[in-house]
Amino acid sequence: MAPELICRCRKRRASGFELDADLAIPLGEAAVTVLFGPSGSGKTTLLRLLAGLEEPDAGSISVGGRCWYDRSRGISLAPQQRRTGFLFQDYALFPHLTVAANVRYFARSERAERLMEAFGLAPLAGRLPGAISGGQQQRVALARALAADPALLLLDEPLSALDAAARLRMRHELRRMLVESGVPAIVVTHDRMEAVALGDWMAVMVEGRIRQAGPIQNVFRHPADAQVAESVGVENVLPGEIIGRDSGLLTVKVGSWYLQCVDAGDSGAVFVCIRAEEVTLSRELPHTSSARNRLSGRVRSVTLEGPLARVELDCGFPLMSVVTAQSAGEMQLQPGDELCAVIKATSVHLTAV
């Protein structure tokens, strides 16, 4: 049987915030699990409970059939007994020790040397953490965490200490290092692009609860409810009502428009979720398109975001589209312009109200 992490625990803060987590992660299927959600949703608290840095008020935690914590049975393993490697947001390197001494702190010399080579740290061995870059510090911290031969790696916002350009460069590098380490990892982040770049599997936290978990693309493409949809960055979450079904398609009334989508067995009142990048814009009705949904709307705003442009339409309800900045320039989009929004049936996802 593949190893599985099972966590069912509660923790209440003095502020009144309450975490009530019910989570099962198939560690054997996911090299990297992303714990995703907005700031303040309880992600770091849950990570600290898993590491044994804090104790739940109730519940249990087990990994691979081994109990780490069970309030009712009086079991609470210390962090070192759980064999977890913890990477803090600020890396928490020993500032007075060299790179080599930091990595060797939890490991025998030969293991530390292998990790130094694997992470490209050998040329930096004699330098202090304050004399190397943020990306290099991250590699030192990860090597040190792996040096203790952990059964599980826990990373709390590992890229947050880097500037935007460095974060972009380090996403795929961190993913490579985590996969090549062979140690299952749980990474906390609230950044959607970071989650996609790093993870195989994903658990979404909202207000202290696990709202959805599964393979990362499934969660992003098929959010379980409106809150999850908004959390994972679905820009268009619209109230609708199913009014018909035929030949594997549903007809959903949204405002004064009728949209078609794939029939997944929904009925009654729903939320209609459409990613902005799935909304194509045209000045004329595209007769050659196979898309079933065509809505007319008036441009409310155009916002440039680097190589992309975010276009808000008024279709009787707000509808967001993301196109390339080049396309927006070629179309000379301006507030007040009349456009056609084209959406494929497969791009319309429904969630329960």
Side-chain angles (χ1 to χ4, degrees):
M1 175 182 283
E4 185 176 34
L5 182 150
I6 300 173
C7 175
R8 297 186 178 94
C9 55
R10 295 195 303 275
K11 178 73 175 181
R12 186 175 181 84
R13 296 289 190 194
S15 64
F17 174 82
E18 185 173 1
L19 180 143
D20 188 356
D22 188 346
L23 177 63
I25 299 175
L27 299 177
E29 299 175 18
V32 182
T33 296
V34 171
L35 191 56
F36 181 86
S39 296
S41 59
K43 304 183 301 296
T44 294
T45 297
L46 179 54
L47 208 67
R48 292 177 66 85
L49 295 179
L50 294 175
L53 300 176
E54 296 186 38
E55 190 169 297
D57 298 326
S60 63
I61 301 170
S62 66
V63 175
R66 184 184 181 216
C67 181
W68 284 4
Y69 177 86
D70 191 320
R71 180 85 173 188
S72 64
R73 296 161 59 191
I75 299 172
S76 182
L77 299 187
Q80 61 270 26
Q81 293 175 300
R82 301 183 188 203
R83 291 185 56 222
T84 58
F86 200 104
L87 189 65
F88 295 89
Q89 289 186 31
D90 61 0
Y91 308 140
L93 297 174
F94 300 119
H96 62 292
L97 297 181
T98 64
V99 166
N102 265 281
V103 177
R104 290 173 184 150
Y105 197 84
F106 297 112
R108 289 193 297 271
S109 180
E110 60 273 18
R111 180 173 176 80
E113 294 306 319
R114 288 199 302 271
L115 287 166
M116 293 276 290
E117 289 293 336
F119 285 83
L121 298 173
L124 308 175
R127 296 168 68 175
L128 294 174
I132 61 177
S133 71
Q136 290 167 335
Q137 289 179 26
Q138 182 199 66
R139 281 187 278 151
V140 176
L142 187 55
R144 187 182 63 177
L146 287 168
D149 193 22
L152 179 66
L153 270 175
L154 305 173
L155 299 88
D156 188 10
E157 300 276 6
L159 302 178
S160 64
L162 306 177
D163 60 44
R167 279 202 306 273
L168 189 62
R169 289 196 307 272
M170 285 302 297
R171 282 173 187 164
H172 297 290
E173 177 69 8
L174 178 58
R175 163 75 184 178
R176 181 190 65 77
M177 290 188 292
L178 291 175
V179 171
E180 289 182 358
S181 76
V183 179
I186 300 175
V187 181
V188 161
T189 184
H190 64 271
D191 184 287
R192 182 175 71 156
M193 296 307 294
E194 197 169 290
V196 172
L198 292 175
D200 302 292
W201 205 85
M202 180 172 173
V204 179
M205 281 194 86
V206 179
E207 298 176 351
R209 307 291 189 275
I210 302 294
R211 301 298 294 269
Q212 186 175 356
I216 197 161
Q217 291 300 331
N218 287 1
V219 174
F220 272 110
R221 292 181 183 278
H222 305 289
D225 56 43
Q227 273 194 307
V228 172
E230 291 174 356
S231 294
V232 300
V234 177
E235 296 87 348
N236 301 297
V237 182
L238 310 165
E241 184 176 3
I242 295 172
I243 61 169
R245 55 180 12 108
D246 182 52
S247 302
L249 293 175
L250 294 177
T251 300
V252 188
K253 189 173 189 293
V254 181
S256 60
W257 295 95
Y258 297 90
L259 302 181
Q260 289 192 311
C261 65
V262 176
D263 189 349
D266 303 272
S267 61
V270 293
F271 281 109
V272 176
C273 303
I274 306 168
R275 289 198 171 279
E277 59 264 32
E278 302 284 358
V279 180
T280 303
L281 301 180
S282 173
R283 286 201 176 274
E284 298 179 357
L285 186 64
H287 297 289
T288 59
S289 171
S290 61
R292 294 178 176 270
N293 302 307
R294 299 175 176 84
L295 297 75
S296 62
R298 189 178 298 274
V299 175
R300 296 180 63 179
S301 65
V302 181
T303 306
L304 292 178
E305 299 178 350
L308 302 176
R310 190 172 296 272
V311 183
E312 184 180 1
L313 299 180
D314 182 357
C315 298
F317 51 83
L319 182 68
M320 195 70 71
S321 172
V322 171
V323 299
T324 65
Q326 180 179 348
S327 294
E330 290 173 352
M331 294 175 69
Q332 298 182 327
L333 296 182
Q334 299 291 332
D337 289 354
E338 288 282 350
L339 296 178
C340 178
V342 182
I343 308 164
K344 293 181 179 180
T346 53
S347 297
V348 179
H349 174 66
L350 306 182
T351 69
V353 172

